Amino acid sequence: MSQLNRMKASQLTHLNADGSALMVDVSDKSSSKREAIASALITTQPQVIALIEQALVKKGDVLASARIAGIMAAKKTSELIPLCHPLALAKVSIEFELNAETGQIFIQSLCRLQGQTGVEMEALTAASVAALTIYDMCKAVDPAMMIGPIQLEQKTGGKNGLWQRSQQAALSPTEGNQA
Amino acid sequence: MSQLNRMKASQLTHLNADGSALMVDVSDKSSSKREAIASALITTQPQVIALIEQALVKKGDVLASARIAGIMAAKKTSELIPLCHPLALAKVSIEFELNAETGQIFIQSLCRLQGQTGVEMEALTAASVAALTIYDMCKAVDPAMMIGPIQLEQKTGGKNGLWQRSQQAALSPTEGNQA
Amino acid sequence: MSQLNRMKASQLTHLNADGSALMVDVSDKSSSKREAIASALITTQPQVIALIEQALVKKGDVLASARIAGIMAAKKTSELIPLCHPLALAKVSIEFELNAETGQIFIQSLCRLQGQTGVEMEALTAASVAALTIYDMCKAVDPAMMIGPIQLEQKTGGKNGLWQRSQQAALSPTEGNQA
Amino acid sequence: MSQLNRMKASQLTHLNADGSALMVDVSDKSSSKREAIASALITTQPQVIALIEQALVKKGDVLASARIAGIMAAKKTSELIPLCHPLALAKVSIEFELNAETGQIFIQSLCRLQGQTGVEMEALTAASVAALTIYDMCKAVDPAMMIGPIQLEQKTGGKNGLWQRSQQAALSPTEGNQA
Amino acid sequence: MSQLNRMKASQLTHLNADGSALMVDVSDKSSSKREAIASALITTQPQVIALIEQALVKKGDVLASARIAGIMAAKKTSELIPLCHPLALAKVSIEFELNAETGQIFIQSLCRLQGQTGVEMEALTAASVAALTIYDMCKAVDPAMMIGPIQLEQKTGGKNGLWQRSQQAALSPTEGNQA
Amino acid sequence: MSQLNRMKASQLTHLNADGSALMVDVSDKSSSKREAIASALITTQPQVIALIEQALVKKGDVLASARIAGIMAAKKTSELIPLCHPLALAKVSIEFELNAETGQIFIQSLCRLQGQTGVEMEALTAASVAALTIYDMCKAVDPAMMIGPIQLEQKTGGKNGLWQRSQQAALSPTEGNQA
């Protein structure tokens, strides 16, 4: 409760004093280089990973499509998330790591800009849409495929500087993250 | 492996024989009423749930914003997921369940249409973007907030009829996350 | 008050019983030819009308731009209005009537489709965006230009058949504005 | 007429000398903090206001949806209005004032940015789409609901500094604005 | 001139009698399966083709990106081309043919739907945007790369049935097309 | 081949070392005024040009629609071309030149911004979509109409300074360009 007090309602920065939504003013924030890394995990069956890798060998487009979809989604973030500011993203990239033993795909996205507000939502949106695209392309084989955790891994820049997912934070409910 | 053989590469329906992506032909599929239910789980700290609920009492907009964002995202699915067909969605709705003890928010989306292809991606996209919107509005309080599992719960309609996530997979909302 | 009772809260069709927004189910509504006509009035100074007309003579693009913007906006309605269904519009047209004496421009939009839900919002959005475009192109000359009333003039099709703005409401285009 | 001469056709800044539309060059304008406030009035029946307020008490989403729709529309302005520049909006907010006696809703939007061109169109678009969203959610109850006047109230920043709707400008055709 | 008479102005079907643009009414056209094939040619230097092919071997994404971009653009056609109807595309596919000797890339797109209006614009848009994407990814190597001809190859369905680019039509100004 | 070596694969700047697509980092590039001019040629029959010109006299909207569509498309470039950066375009304009003798329309687009990356893709997209819009509005009269060459004419700004399509480059495959 004391902790709740520390987390004053005013920390829900996207709400006015009366609880109504607004796009917060960033016009007085200083411009700095900002970067965010987010990740998404997909859990499917090992055979599906084999199919995707097989397709890769054949110049298949599963991961290439997911990468393009994720990059394009990063650019659409302010259209999707109501209170996000439109941003002049300077870089977006997405990496995939396939684990045929565990049947998992680890997706990592990176966004960067020189600007007045952070790019966490852009990185999270990129990772999410890349994951949804993989689901779409493989759902005929495994509709039970699960997406998550989707989480922020690291961010730099701005007043608060570096933030990194702490070791312990990653311990419990995130266990699914250890591919 | 024999299982892999059953899962013939041709089951990656969004790839041509040569592994290149395409938007599959649905012009000969029969039109039926189709529905999909998807879900997303958010794991944060109990205090954040308290803040959101408190905001609710004050006519706060966290969940209302997330609901609108999710509904609008369902309509944007074919713009986000490269090989999804543009669909004339007949219904979209999103429900939230807050658990102040576990610090979790359960999001359930439902999409319906009369048409030639299913609405799983629309339901999954709605749930994902609703979750991302909650993250955005609460990230100042808890940047470590995690999203997932995001998963299909049920779908009906079309040639394959009813599909439901199996009982054991659904056991507890987080357990599903442990691959 | 008795009237309020007749207007049961359930008539706010875009809210659930608990007051939360949803995109209403139209999958069981019958398909019929539906049409809506909406209008918007712009009030500016007579000289601005002269400038626009003068531009017309010189192949100017004020009205052509506003017409295109309005038609394109009709197609974007479901992206703009959260609970609108995506519709396969069959026709959109926009007419302008300039009155150099009163300094007014009357905009009339018409939308039509064969489908399960009406096109009022599409017609209203088309008229609104056409008006905003005229404002944009003339705001250097008259920033005080006013838009309104924007209103539905007529709709046909669907269960309710013909609806027409009543004679007295339509009396004079500005009078309707006096609350 | 002399006045028309003062308002030289060249003041229609979005037209070339030959009357064709163009997106005007702002690359040499100096960057300053710019802000615009716009408003829209909705006129409906007092009972509808009561329904909306009643819904509010029940955590209803009418105004929350309209607010989100308006904020998102501000970000879409350059997609809707052909000659508007894409802008990095720094802040968007929308306020509502309900008058159950007159049956009116007053909508006020505010946009701000640090940049080379003004945000009037963004504020006007936000107010317009918020109004259209309210219309959409209440049209089953009152399809005759009217929107307007929609007008710029004030703008600051840029070469021209402060502009405010003058008292007399608000006199005649705007009378409907006095809720 | 007699030919011009045969081509009556009314054949510019997207203009009203007074020459103003409109989205033509298709609500009374019968629904049929419609298909269109379009193509775009890119002319660059043989070395660029080698680079793209080399990248292919390395799982490069040039063509995969162009394919996804083209498919997504087909779905955006009605947002780009002012008077195009929003369509429920049933299929979109894109093929590439690289010629390392002539330094050319031939792009062929195919769109299909069951509906009331043709898909030529969708096929042409898909081919154009796929070509622009290749340009974007290779412009650092060859900014002089040329796109064109972009042309309709064939369409079927609707009242007019099959249309095919005739042999002689391809003769003169298209000569650039003979790779 | 030695030339190919000079054109190192690394020059395909939109690919990672492993050949996967990424949106390249521009955050360290210096900001300068950048401009690009692109063109597109349409080849149709002389009679079609006459129809368009005739429509012009009657205030017809063919070219006005194409101009607006091209300008709006320039603003959509980063939504269409997967690896393009979102840009704050400062100016967009489009010119047409009709040649009734050759049956050709020459389209020239110009884009300008103060920023960290060039606007070639914006200019090319504007010209392409303007051309597609003309095709759309005239396809009932001449479905065989061809678009191309579409090409960059000139760019300035940035590290590389002025680039101009060289005389000889314009010689052979572009011959169709000499209207």
Side-chain angles (χ1 to χ4, degrees):
Chain A
M1 198 56 167
S2 61
Q3 210 173 344
L4 175 58
N5 288 346
R6 284 210 323 275
M7 284 184 192
K8 299 183 317 271
S10 64
Q11 285 185 277
L12 288 183
T13 47
H14 293 58
L15 295 186
N16 267 331
D18 70 346
S20 63
L22 87 166
M23 205 170 111
V24 296
D25 192 355
V26 298
S27 61
D28 289 328
K29 294 174 77 174
S30 63
S31 180
S32 67
K33 189 177 287 191
R34 295 160 191 270
E35 189 179 286
I37 297 174
S39 68
L41 187 72
I42 291 181
T43 304
T44 179
Q45 304 170 51
Q47 298 93 323
V48 177
I49 305 296
L51 281 175
I52 293 174
E53 286 182 327
Q54 196 182 53
L56 269 180
V57 172
K58 292 182 174 177
K59 307 181 268 64
D61 281 354
V62 178
L63 299 186
S65 299
R67 181 179 284 116
I68 292 297
I71 291 172
M72 294 180 90
K75 294 189 276 185
K76 271 186 171 314
T77 303
S78 71
E79 278 185 62
L80 291 169
I81 312 298
L83 306 177
C84 276
H85 295 82
L87 297 182
L89 283 170
K91 179 185 178 174
V92 184
S93 67
I94 297 181
E95 306 286 321
F96 299 98
E97 217 178 286
L98 281 72
N99 187 330
E101 266 175 58
T102 61
Q104 291 185 313
I105 302 171
F106 181 73
I107 304 171
Q108 186 170 289
S109 60
L110 181 153
C111 291
R112 189 181 292 157
L113 98 161
Q114 177 74 34
Q116 292 174 302
T117 186
V119 288
E120 302 96 290
M121 294 316 301
E122 282 69 18
L124 286 162
T125 301
S128 302
V129 171
L132 288 167
T133 301
I134 292 176
Y135 183 96
D136 180 44
M137 295 180 79
C138 301
K139 67 180 188 293
V141 185
D142 181 13
M145 185 182 283
M146 280 180 321
I147 297 171
I150 295 170
Q151 57 193 15
L152 185 64
E153 295 297 341
Q154 178 181 314
K155 62 173 233 146
T156 58
K159 201 179 56 186
N160 297 317
L162 176 68
W163 179 91
Q164 264 183 309
R165 180 162 290 276
S166 70
Q167 286 316 97
Q168 87 251 39
L171 273 189
S172 51
T174 341
E175 267 162 23
N177 199 17
Q178 328 299 65
Chain B
M1 197 57 165
S2 60
Q3 209 171 346
L4 176 58
N5 288 347
R6 283 208 325 275
M7 283 186 193
K8 299 183 317 270
S10 65
Q11 287 185 275
L12 289 183
T13 47
H14 294 58
L15 295 186
N16 267 332
D18 71 346
S20 64
L22 86 165
M23 203 171 113
V24 296
D25 191 356
V26 298
S27 62
D28 289 327
K29 293 174 75 174
S30 64
S31 181
S32 69
K33 188 178 288 193
R34 295 161 191 270
E35 189 179 286
I37 296 174
S39 68
L41 187 71
I42 291 180
T43 304
T44 179
Q45 303 170 50
Q47 297 92 322
V48 177
I49 305 296
L51 281 176
I52 293 174
E53 286 182 326
Q54 197 183 51
L56 268 178
V57 171
K58 292 181 172 178
K59 305 179 269 67
D61 281 354
V62 178
L63 300 185
S65 299
R67 182 180 284 115
I68 293 298
I71 291 173
M72 292 179 91
K75 294 188 277 185
K76 271 186 170 316
T77 302
S78 71
E79 278 184 62
L80 291 169
I81 312 298
L83 306 176
C84 275
H85 295 81
L87 297 182
L89 283 171
K91 179 184 179 175
V92 184
S93 66
I94 298 183
E95 306 284 322
F96 299 98
E97 216 178 286
L98 281 74
N99 187 330
E101 267 175 57
T102 60
Q104 291 184 313
I105 302 171
F106 181 73
I107 304 171
Q108 186 169 291
S109 60
L110 179 153
C111 290
R112 189 180 293 156
L113 98 162
Q114 177 73 33
Q116 291 173 301
T117 186
V119 287
E120 301 96 293
M121 293 316 301
E122 281 70 18
L124 286 162
T125 301
S128 302
V129 172
L132 288 167
T133 300
I134 292 176
Y135 182 95
D136 180 45
M137 294 181 80
C138 300
K139 68 180 187 295
V141 186
D142 181 14
M145 186 182 282
M146 282 180 320
I147 297 171
I150 295 170
Q151 57 193 16
L152 185 65
E153 296 295 341
Q154 177 180 315
K155 62 173 232 143
T156 57
K159 199 179 57 185
N160 296 318
L162 176 68
W163 179 92
Q164 266 183 308
R165 181 162 289 277
S166 72
Q167 286 317 97
Q168 84 250 39
L171 263 194
S172 112
T174 38
E175 271 167 20
N177 199 18
Q178 328 297 66
Chain C
M1 196 58 166
S2 59
Q3 209 172 345
L4 177 57
N5 288 346
R6 284 209 323 276
M7 284 185 191
K8 297 181 321 265
S10 64
Q11 286 185 276
L12 289 183
T13 47
H14 293 58
L15 295 186
N16 267 332
D18 71 346
S20 63
L22 86 165
M23 205 172 111
V24 297
D25 191 357
V26 298
S27 61
D28 289 328
K29 293 173 76 174
S30 63
S31 181
S32 67
K33 188 177 289 193
R34 294 160 191 271
E35 190 179 284
I37 296 174
S39 67
L41 186 73
I42 291 180
T43 304
T44 179
Q45 303 170 51
Q47 298 92 325
V48 177
I49 305 296
L51 281 175
I52 293 175
E53 286 182 327
Q54 195 182 53
L56 270 179
V57 171
K58 292 180 173 179
K59 305 181 268 67
D61 281 354
V62 178
L63 299 186
S65 299
R67 182 180 283 116
I68 293 296
I71 291 173
M72 293 180 91
K75 295 190 275 185
K76 271 187 171 313
T77 302
S78 71
E79 279 184 60
L80 291 169
I81 312 299
L83 307 176
C84 276
H85 295 81
L87 298 183
L89 284 171
K91 178 183 178 175
V92 184
S93 68
I94 297 183
E95 307 286 321
F96 299 98
E97 215 178 288
L98 280 74
N99 187 330
E101 266 175 58
T102 62
Q104 293 185 311
I105 302 171
F106 181 72
I107 304 171
Q108 185 169 292
S109 60
L110 180 154
C111 291
R112 190 180 293 158
L113 99 161
Q114 176 74 32
Q116 292 174 302
T117 187
V119 288
E120 302 96 291
M121 293 315 302
E122 282 69 19
L124 286 163
T125 301
S128 302
V129 172
L132 289 167
T133 299
I134 292 176
Y135 183 96
D136 180 45
M137 295 181 79
C138 300
K139 68 180 186 294
V141 186
D142 181 12
M145 186 183 281
M146 282 180 319
I147 297 170
I150 296 170
Q151 57 193 17
L152 185 65
E153 296 297 342
Q154 177 180 315
K155 63 175 232 144
T156 57
K159 201 179 55 187
N160 296 318
L162 176 68
W163 179 91
Q164 265 182 308
R165 180 163 290 276
S166 72
Q167 286 316 97
Q168 85 249 40
L171 263 192
S172 112
T174 37
E175 271 166 21
N177 199 18
Q178 327 297 66
Chain D
M1 197 57 167
S2 61
Q3 209 171 347
L4 175 58
N5 287 346
R6 284 209 324 277
M7 286 184 190
K8 300 183 316 268
S10 65
Q11 286 185 275
L12 288 183
T13 48
H14 293 59
L15 295 185
N16 268 332
D18 71 345
S20 63
L22 87 165
M23 203 170 112
V24 295
D25 192 356
V26 298
S27 62
D28 288 327
K29 293 173 77 174
S30 64
S31 181
S32 67
K33 187 176 290 190
R34 294 160 191 270
E35 191 179 284
I37 296 174
S39 68
L41 186 72
I42 291 180
T43 303
T44 178
Q45 303 169 52
Q47 297 94 323
V48 177
I49 305 296
L51 282 175
I52 293 174
E53 287 182 326
Q54 194 182 54
L56 269 179
V57 172
K58 292 180 173 180
K59 307 180 265 70
D61 281 353
V62 177
L63 299 186
S65 299
R67 182 180 283 116
I68 293 297
I71 291 173
M72 294 180 91
K75 295 189 276 185
K76 271 186 171 313
T77 302
S78 71
E79 280 185 60
L80 291 169
I81 312 299
L83 305 177
C84 276
H85 295 82
L87 297 183
L89 283 171
K91 179 184 178 175
V92 183
S93 68
I94 297 182
E95 307 284 321
F96 299 98
E97 217 179 285
L98 282 73
N99 187 330
E101 266 174 58
T102 60
Q104 292 185 313
I105 302 172
F106 181 73
I107 304 172
Q108 186 170 291
S109 60
L110 180 153
C111 290
R112 189 181 293 158
L113 100 159
Q114 176 73 34
Q116 292 173 301
T117 187
V119 289
E120 301 96 290
M121 294 315 301
E122 283 69 19
L124 287 163
T125 301
S128 302
V129 172
L132 289 167
T133 301
I134 293 176
Y135 183 96
D136 180 45
M137 294 181 80
C138 300
K139 69 180 186 293
V141 185
D142 181 13
M145 184 182 283
M146 280 179 321
I147 297 171
I150 296 171
Q151 57 192 17
L152 185 65
E153 297 295 342
Q154 178 179 314
K155 64 174 231 145
T156 57
K159 201 180 56 186
N160 296 318
L162 176 68
W163 179 92
Q164 265 183 308
R165 180 162 290 275
S166 71
Q167 286 317 97
Q168 87 250 39
L171 273 189
S172 51
T174 340
E175 268 162 21
N177 198 18
Q178 328 298 65
Chain E
M1 198 55 167
S2 62
Q3 208 171 347
L4 177 58
N5 288 346
R6 281 210 325 277
M7 285 185 190
K8 299 183 316 268
S10 65
Q11 285 185 277
L12 288 184
T13 48
H14 294 58
L15 295 186
N16 267 332
D18 70 346
S20 63
L22 87 165
M23 204 171 113
V24 295
D25 192 356
V26 299
S27 62
D28 288 327
K29 293 173 76 174
S30 64
S31 181
S32 67
K33 188 177 288 193
R34 294 160 191 271
E35 190 179 284
I37 296 174
S39 68
L41 186 72
I42 291 179
T43 304
T44 179
Q45 303 170 51
Q47 298 94 322
V48 177
I49 305 295
L51 281 175
I52 293 174
E53 285 182 328
Q54 195 183 52
L56 269 179
V57 172
K58 294 181 172 178
K59 305 181 268 63
D61 282 354
V62 177
L63 299 186
S65 299
R67 182 180 282 115
I68 293 296
I71 292 173
M72 292 179 91
K75 294 189 277 186
K76 271 187 172 313
T77 302
S78 71
E79 280 184 61
L80 292 169
I81 312 300
L83 306 176
C84 275
H85 295 82
L87 297 183
L89 283 171
K91 179 182 179 175
V92 184
S93 67
I94 297 182
E95 307 284 321
F96 299 99
E97 217 179 286
L98 281 73
N99 188 329
E101 266 174 59
T102 61
Q104 292 185 312
I105 302 171
F106 182 72
I107 304 171
Q108 185 170 290
S109 61
L110 179 153
C111 291
R112 189 181 292 156
L113 99 162
Q114 175 74 33
Q116 292 174 302
T117 186
V119 288
E120 302 96 292
M121 292 317 301
E122 283 68 19
L124 287 162
T125 301
S128 302
V129 171
L132 288 168
T133 299
I134 292 176
Y135 182 96
D136 180 44
M137 295 181 79
C138 300
K139 68 179 186 294
V141 186
D142 181 13
M145 184 181 282
M146 280 180 321
I147 297 171
I150 296 170
Q151 57 192 17
L152 185 65
E153 296 295 344
Q154 178 181 315
K155 62 173 234 146
T156 57
K159 201 180 54 187
N160 297 318
L162 175 69
W163 179 92
Q164 265 182 310
R165 180 162 290 275
S166 71
Q167 286 318 96
Q168 87 252 38
L171 272 189
S172 51
T174 339
E175 267 162 21
N177 198 18
Q178 328 298 66
Chain F
M1 197 56 165
S2 61
Q3 209 172 347
L4 176 57
N5 288 346
R6 284 209 325 275
M7 284 185 191
K8 300 183 316 271
S10 66
Q11 286 185 278
L12 288 182
T13 48
H14 293 58
L15 295 186
N16 267 332
D18 70 345
S20 63
L22 87 166
M23 204 170 112
V24 296
D25 192 356
V26 297
S27 61
D28 289 327
K29 293 174 76 174
S30 63
S31 181
S32 67
K33 188 177 289 192
R34 295 161 190 271
E35 190 179 284
I37 296 174
S39 67
L41 187 72
I42 292 179
T43 304
T44 179
Q45 303 170 50
Q47 298 93 323
V48 177
I49 304 295
L51 281 175
I52 293 174
E53 287 183 326
Q54 193 183 54
L56 268 179
V57 171
K58 291 181 173 177
K59 306 179 270 67
D61 282 352
V62 177
L63 299 186
S65 299
R67 182 180 285 116
I68 293 296
I71 291 173
M72 293 180 91
K75 296 189 276 185
K76 271 187 171 313
T77 302
S78 72
E79 280 184 60
L80 291 170
I81 312 298
L83 306 176
C84 275
H85 295 82
L87 297 182
L89 283 172
K91 179 183 178 176
V92 184
S93 67
I94 298 182
E95 306 286 321
F96 299 97
E97 217 178 286
L98 281 73
N99 188 330
E101 266 174 58
T102 61
Q104 292 185 312
I105 301 171
F106 181 72
I107 304 171
Q108 185 169 292
S109 60
L110 180 153
C111 290
R112 188 180 294 156
L113 99 161
Q114 176 73 34
Q116 292 174 301
T117 187
V119 288
E120 301 96 291
M121 294 315 302
E122 283 69 18
L124 287 162
T125 301
S128 302
V129 172
L132 289 167
T133 300
I134 292 176
Y135 183 96
D136 180 44
M137 294 181 79
C138 300
K139 67 180 189 294
V141 185
D142 181 11
M145 184 182 284
M146 281 180 321
I147 297 170
I150 295 170
Q151 57 192 18
L152 185 65
E153 295 296 342
Q154 177 181 316
K155 62 173 230 144
T156 58
K159 203 179 53 187
N160 296 318
L162 176 69
W163 179 92
Q164 266 183 307
R165 179 162 290 276
S166 71
Q167 287 316 98
Q168 88 250 38
L171 273 188
S172 52
T174 341
E175 267 163 21
N177 200 18
Q178 328 300 67

